[in-house]
Amino acid sequence: MIEQLNEFADRHRKIVYSLFRHYIRLNKDFLLHSDMRYEYSQFIYPEIEAILSGSPVEKFIQAVQVAAFGSPWIYIFIRTGIAQSEYVKYHMDDVIFTEVDVNEYLGFQEKLANGNTRHDNWILEVDLKPFNRGFPRMKETKSIGRGVEFLNRYLSNRMFNDLEKSGQHLLDFLRLHHANGKQLMLSATITDLTQLQHNLREIQKYLENQEDASPWHEHADRLLELGFEQGWGYNVRTMLDRFYLLSDILEAPAPRTLEKFLAAIPMIFKVAILSPHGYFGQSNVLGLPDTGGQVVYILDQVRALEYEMRSRLKESGLDIEPQIVVITRLIPNAGETTCGERKEQINGTTNARILRIPFRNENGDIVPDWISRFKLWPYLEQFSFDAEQEIQNELQGRPDLIIGNYSDGNLVASLLSERMGVTQCNIAHALEKTKYLFSALRWKNYDANYHFSAQFTADLIAMNTADFIITSTYQEIAGNKEVIGQYESYSAFTMPDLYRVVNGVNIFDPKFNIVSPGADAGVYFPYYETERRLSDLHPDIESLIFNDQLPYAVGSLTNRDKPIIFSMSRLDHVKNISGLVEWFGKNKELQEHANMLLVAGFVNEKLSRDEEEIQQIKKIYRLIDTYKLEGKIRWVEKQSYKNFNGELYRYIADRGGVFVQPALFEAFGLTVIEAMSSGLPTFATCNGGPLEIIENGVSGFHIDPDRGDEAAAVINGFFERCAQDQNYWKIISDNAIKRVDEKYTWKLYASRLMTLSRVYGFWKYVSNLERDETRRYLQMFYGLMFKNLVKRIQNETD
């Protein structure tokens, strides 16, 4: 691209000079890709339009992610495709483009951030690339997020090339497994690969002459005689299938065969799930500060995992009850929630529970009040030690899998996994780095409120220590052609005067896997399934929407016959509920077609302890007054009972309404899944997960939160079409239900997660996935950087 750019600049020097002078005259240090494109459209005039159309310069501008201006230089970060980054500098007077490395680009950013006064050549650089030279990496962008498939292909090929060594590793791995003190899979009597293959042939000959449905225990003596312990299956057919798989692997390993065999090994009996921040409970918590979709996600995850674990253990012939414990923070002053109780059984499970452990200060005293997720970093190390002891006691030993959630839970999972030697899975849910403009570069401006310096450091450590990482969408990892992905943003960035990351997270690492969650099918189901409907709740729902005397509601709806535009979320800047109110306020036609119902946060700022929520509350009141929305909008305090919320979705569907999720960015979009499952036509942000969940114009609609007028017009256009075509609402509704059924269910999720945990557990054992050098490097980074950042937070608090 650089050569073509310079050739074009040589031929059209005046045009290129004038274009970049136009950017410089904006007098801004940084411009984003949207700014660059908009200003480009403003610059073009008829005489040069034909010259620039399709030119290298136009393609270059379209590829720009960030441009940094420090005359006479402009340093530019471009993406020529997904996960394809390049860095270029442009000299204003010479009109020459030159490729530079990431170090030079980040150094220029630092200079601008520090007031263009100095350049620190000795800033700490984080570079993990040297530690990963010999580790397999994917090359194709389409493979990103399909890590286990790539890993199985790569390592199956390696096994094929050295079957004797790899087969012995597999034999040793099969002898590792125990449950309740009992040996599983293989006994110590099978000592080498030759013996294993011989005994496999013998047991297959024996079982092939037995009834398929015959239970395993009727053949236990013969199995044990040949060195095969319990765990191969509950009947002859199951055992034979698994023995055939093992024989095929030892003969000629194939990726699908290997995955299928590993997925059947009974090796996950106990799971610990980390989610420290917020109010983690089963009722009266949703909508409280830092408490929302993550809680719903984990509780639904637990129910699905317990069912899947039990099914797999039963299929393996084991009468063992799986155990799952969710580790969260105990909050003594927990209000009307259960978050002050040490232990809580999870509804809908047999043996899964919430275990709450308090935060302790430096003196060992219990911290009694809720703490923002942005300010809890000083408590996490001690929390991890307390959690380790509690987990050991609760599970009577170490877990077989540790799952971290969000930045804080992922860091604690990293600390626990290292000390306990357990396979670690991380789930980000949301990474704050891409939510706030230049959050790393301008970390000093954000740190007083958000402490991003500590959070991004914790993210880097946790991402690189995890054995595997689950994301809900491809977008989370690699974004799209125009927008950088959340994880990709950690590949290279700088926090001036702190450290510079030149190789942080490699999104081609096979640890990344896309496993999308679902919605609780017992709660969120189509509006037309009348026998399952909770019709007894309808009077309460009608009161919620229409009762003017309700103390926790604002506004009234004058025309009750209009369909309802419904939105439900936490009340913070990124969720953009105030933005939705503004779109509605500006579009008179939309107001004529529909009313608006918001279920979000508090309606009384005095009840909130979250500063960001308080600002949003004030803003919504201002917008209602500015646009004179009384009689057209109803705003109700958060609702914590999901059965009620499920029926609320369906009630809105009964009235021909829609659901709108207007977030500036949404990592996945659980409310989108809930609404679609209920049959509500859904409009959701194009920034993040909903871009993949919804097929635009088919199973819902994408809206751009940065273009509110256009978003409102899309919603209005839907209602206009519904008025002309009575079937249109139902077409979109039916397609939404079908989309969720086919792609986003907890059954699919749990099955995939259990398979991943076994595959990565195996490869962690037989190969050097632990990567000792990387771990030691990150331990040093944790000790010298993260702990110092934590001390800063402690000093500010003191």
Side-chain angles (χ1 to χ4, degrees):
M1 178 178 278
I2 299 300
E3 185 176 341
Q4 293 173 323
L5 271 173
N6 284 324
E7 287 178 359
F8 184 87
D10 284 342
R11 296 197 307 271
H12 304 284
R13 181 183 178 90
K14 181 179 177 180
I15 293 175
V16 175
Y17 176 84
S18 298
L19 171 62
F20 282 91
R21 179 172 170 77
H22 172 77
Y23 287 121
I24 289 175
R25 291 181 67 176
L26 296 172
N27 200 30
K28 293 185 178 180
D29 289 340
F30 298 97
L31 291 177
L32 298 175
H33 65 282
S34 56
D35 303 318
M36 294 290 288
R37 292 181 186 184
Y38 174 77
E39 293 299 336
Y40 177 77
S41 69
Q42 296 299 108
F43 169 79
I44 290 179
Y45 49 92
E47 289 78 7
I48 65 169
E49 186 172 3
I51 297 172
L52 286 173
S53 180
S55 70
V57 166
E58 185 173 74
K59 293 176 182 177
F60 179 78
I61 296 300
Q62 290 172 346
V64 171
Q65 288 293 301
V66 180
F69 295 81
S71 185
W73 292 105
I74 305 174
Y75 275 69
I76 304 166
F77 162 33
I78 63 171
R79 278 173 98 234
T80 55
I82 292 174
Q84 297 175 8
S85 300
E86 295 179 18
Y87 304 92
V88 176
K89 66 180 179 181
Y90 168 82
H91 194 278
M92 185 62 206
D93 295 326
D94 294 341
V95 194
I96 293 175
F97 298 88
T98 308
E99 188 170 356
V100 298
D101 62 22
V102 64
N103 245 324
E104 185 175 339
Y105 169 77
L106 293 176
F108 189 78
Q109 279 198 333
E110 291 158 9
K111 187 177 179 182
L112 290 179
N114 285 323
N116 214 27
T117 57
R118 60 188 175 84
H119 182 96
D120 188 351
N121 290 315
W122 298 103
I123 190 172
L124 171 66
E125 286 186 4
V126 178
D127 186 356
L128 291 165
K129 187 175 181 179
F131 299 105
N132 298 314
R133 286 196 191 101
F135 194 76
R137 288 286 182 274
M138 299 175 289
K139 295 179 180 178
E140 300 297 326
T141 56
K142 66 181 180 180
S143 298
I144 293 170
R146 297 163 56 190
V148 75
E149 298 173 32
F150 170 83
L151 200 59
N152 275 329
R153 289 195 301 271
Y154 174 84
L155 293 170
S156 294
N157 184 60
R158 198 170 78 174
M159 286 182 73
F160 186 85
N161 291 327
D162 192 355
L163 265 178
E164 184 172 344
K165 182 179 179 181
S166 298
Q168 185 64 42
H169 283 321
L170 181 57
L171 186 155
D172 294 339
F173 180 72
L174 291 173
R175 289 192 301 210
L176 282 179
H177 305 297
H178 298 77
N180 299 335
K182 180 176 175 56
Q183 176 70 42
L184 301 177
M185 305 307 287
L186 291 184
S187 71
T189 59
I190 298 181
T191 58
D192 58 45
L193 192 57
T194 301
Q195 186 182 4
L196 174 60
Q197 290 175 308
H198 174 270
N199 288 11
L200 267 175
R201 288 190 287 270
E202 292 300 310
I203 195 62
Q204 288 172 43
K205 288 178 186 176
Y206 169 76
L207 291 175
E208 285 165 352
N209 293 313
Q210 311 302 319
E211 292 291 331
D212 280 356
S214 178
W216 74 270
H217 58 79
E218 292 183 3
H219 311 282
D221 290 343
R222 182 57 175 157
L223 286 163
L224 289 171
E225 182 182 332
L226 292 170
F228 298 104
E229 300 280 354
Q230 189 178 353
W232 290 95
Y234 70 98
N235 63 17
V236 167
R237 182 70 266 159
T238 311
M239 289 189 290
L240 265 177
D241 287 343
R242 293 178 182 183
F243 285 132
Y244 288 153
L245 287 171
L246 181 56
S247 295
D248 288 345
I249 291 168
L250 295 176
E251 180 71 20
R256 185 69 188 97
T257 304
L258 184 60
E259 180 178 312
K260 194 173 180 180
F261 175 72
L262 292 174
I265 297 177
M267 54 189 282
I268 307 295
F269 307 94
K270 304 171 184 179
V271 177
I273 299 175
L274 279 298
S275 183
H277 76 259
Y279 293 86
F280 198 103
Q282 300 182 84
S283 61
N284 298 327
V285 299
L286 296 183
L288 291 174
D290 292 342
T291 308
Q294 181 173 319
V295 173
V296 176
Y297 179 111
I298 294 171
L299 291 174
D300 288 345
Q301 175 198 57
V302 166
R303 296 183 188 98
L305 283 181
E306 187 189 65
Y307 181 85
E308 182 69 19
M309 290 167 70
R310 186 181 294 112
S311 297
R312 292 199 182 202
L313 291 174
K314 181 179 179 181
E315 194 170 343
S316 293
L318 300 174
D319 185 19
I320 297 173
E321 184 62 35
Q323 295 189 69
I324 303 176
V325 58
V326 178
I327 307 298
T328 188
R329 184 199 164 200
L330 185 143
I331 307 173
N333 297 337
E336 297 179 358
T337 75
T338 58
C339 298
E341 299 176 10
R342 178 178 177 273
K343 192 186 295 188
E344 182 180 350
Q345 177 72 22
I346 295 177
N347 299 330
T349 70
T350 302
N351 204 17
R353 56 274 194 201
I354 302 167
L355 181 63
R356 300 186 179 93
I357 300 166
F359 283 170
R360 297 181 183 275
N361 61 25
E362 289 181 292
N363 299 323
D365 300 323
I366 291 175
V367 179
D369 297 314
W370 167 84
I371 298 172
S372 164
R373 71 187 189 276
F374 297 117
K375 298 181 180 180
L376 48 64
W377 304 105
Y379 305 98
L380 294 183
E381 184 171 295
Q382 183 58 50
F383 181 81
S384 76
F385 285 110
D386 295 340
E388 181 177 4
Q389 186 60 50
E390 293 274 11
I391 291 170
Q392 295 269 16
N393 293 338
E394 186 68 22
L395 297 178
Q396 297 182 329
R398 70 177 189 172
D400 303 300
L401 174 68
I402 291 176
I403 302 174
N405 293 274
Y406 193 68
S407 299
D408 53 355
N410 288 335
L411 181 68
V412 175
S414 294
L415 299 174
L416 288 171
S417 175
E418 181 181 330
R419 293 200 298 264
M420 302 176 84
V422 177
T423 300
Q424 175 192 352
C425 167
N426 282 359
I427 307 172
H429 294 280
L431 292 167
E432 304 291 341
K433 189 168 175 293
T434 52
K435 289 184 180 181
Y436 296 81
L437 189 61
F438 296 118
S439 56
L441 186 64
R442 294 173 175 159
W443 67 273
K444 295 175 187 176
N445 299 338
Y446 287 107
D447 242 36
N449 292 322
Y450 299 115
H451 299 291
F452 284 153
S453 59
Q455 183 164 6
F456 299 166
T457 304
D459 285 336
L460 265 180
I461 293 168
M463 290 172 189
N464 283 288
T465 56
D467 294 298
F468 66 104
I469 294 172
I470 281 180
T471 72
S472 298
T473 64
Y474 184 94
Q475 300 278 320
E476 282 183 67
I477 310 170
N480 54 47
K481 291 180 180 178
E482 296 186 354
V483 179
I484 193 169
Q486 291 183 70
Y487 280 96
E488 187 184 358
S489 73
Y490 283 81
S491 62
F493 66 94
T494 182
M495 290 194 281
D497 298 325
L498 198 60
Y499 60 84
R500 178 191 304 165
V501 177
V502 294
N503 283 289
V505 173
N506 188 333
I507 62 172
F508 288 94
D509 194 308
K511 70 172 59 179
F512 287 100
N513 293 274
I514 301 167
V515 186
S516 300
D520 187 338
V523 175
Y524 305 102
F525 54 86
Y527 67 95
Y528 51 71
E529 295 186 12
T530 54
E531 291 185 1
R532 300 175 64 190
R533 294 283 298 267
L534 305 175
S535 55
D536 290 348
L537 293 176
H538 286 194
D540 292 336
I541 290 174
E542 288 170 359
S543 176
L544 184 85
I545 300 173
F546 299 117
N547 183 357
D548 295 344
Q549 306 304 314
L550 215 58
Y552 50 85
V554 170
S556 60
L557 302 179
T558 302
N559 186 343
R560 298 188 176 192
D561 295 329
K562 290 181 183 179
I564 292 173
I565 299 168
F566 176 43
S567 191
M568 178 166 58
S569 77
R570 288 195 319 273
L571 200 55
D572 60 29
H573 169 72
V574 173
K575 292 299 183 184
N576 197 34
I577 293 295
S578 60
L580 176 59
V581 175
E582 187 167 12
W583 307 347
F584 183 67
K586 287 181 175 181
N587 194 307
K588 297 296 183 183
E589 290 185 7
L590 186 55
Q591 294 171 35
E592 290 297 318
H593 282 120
N595 291 318
M596 178 166 284
L597 172 66
L598 309 175
V599 177
F602 291 103
V603 298
N604 184 347
E605 65 180 83
K606 294 179 180 178
L607 297 177
S608 177
R609 291 180 289 169
D610 186 286
E611 186 59 37
E612 192 168 307
E613 182 178 58
I614 291 170
Q615 295 305 314
Q616 289 296 305
I617 293 170
K618 292 178 179 179
K619 185 175 181 180
I620 291 175
Y621 276 112
R622 287 197 303 271
L623 290 167
I624 291 173
D625 290 340
T626 299
Y627 294 105
K628 297 179 175 55
L629 296 177
E630 178 58 39
K632 302 173 183 178
I633 191 168
R634 175 78 160 176
W635 174 21
V636 183
E637 192 174 285
K638 63 187 180 297
Q639 300 298 300
S640 300
Y641 297 100
K642 67 178 187 177
N643 279 308
F644 183 90
N645 290 337
E647 191 60 30
L648 178 57
Y649 282 120
R650 290 186 289 272
Y651 185 89
I652 303 297
D654 290 338
R655 303 174 67 88
V658 301
F659 182 79
V660 180
Q661 202 270 36
L664 301 176
F665 182 87
E666 185 63 56
F668 179 58
L670 198 54
T671 55
V672 172
I673 294 294
E674 293 169 356
M676 292 172 68
S677 298
S678 306
L680 265 181
T682 299
F683 299 76
T685 179
C686 63
N687 296 332
L691 191 65
E692 293 178 36
I693 296 172
I694 292 173
E695 305 155 292
N696 190 40
V698 178
S699 55
F701 302 89
H702 300 151
I703 52 176
D704 187 343
D706 295 321
R707 293 179 170 84
D709 293 346
E710 292 178 15
V714 171
I715 301 168
N716 186 61
F718 172 80
F719 283 116
E720 288 181 341
R721 183 162 176 183
C722 288
Q724 297 167 0
D725 181 356
Q726 294 182 352
N727 291 322
Y728 188 59
W729 187 96
K730 189 175 186 303
I731 290 171
I732 300 299
S733 172
D734 289 346
N735 287 342
I737 294 167
K738 181 182 178 183
R739 175 71 172 174
V740 172
D741 285 346
E742 291 178 350
K743 290 283 188 177
Y744 302 100
T745 70
W746 282 112
K747 181 176 175 58
L748 293 171
Y749 174 99
S751 176
R752 194 59 183 157
L753 177 55
M754 282 294 96
T755 296
L756 291 174
S757 64
R758 287 158 168 79
V759 172
Y760 282 96
F762 171 64
W763 292 125
K764 183 172 184 174
Y765 175 78
V766 301
S767 64
N768 192 26
L769 280 183
E770 292 175 282
R771 292 173 283 188
D772 288 342
E773 297 87 353
T774 306
R775 190 175 72 248
R776 294 295 292 163
Y777 182 90
L778 293 169
Q779 285 173 344
M780 179 179 67
F781 189 51
Y782 177 91
L784 297 179
M785 179 57 66
F786 180 76
K787 295 191 79 165
N788 281 329
L789 294 171
V790 164
K791 287 178 182 176
R792 288 188 193 180
I793 301 173
Q794 287 174 322
N795 292 337
E796 290 172 13
T797 305
D798 296 341

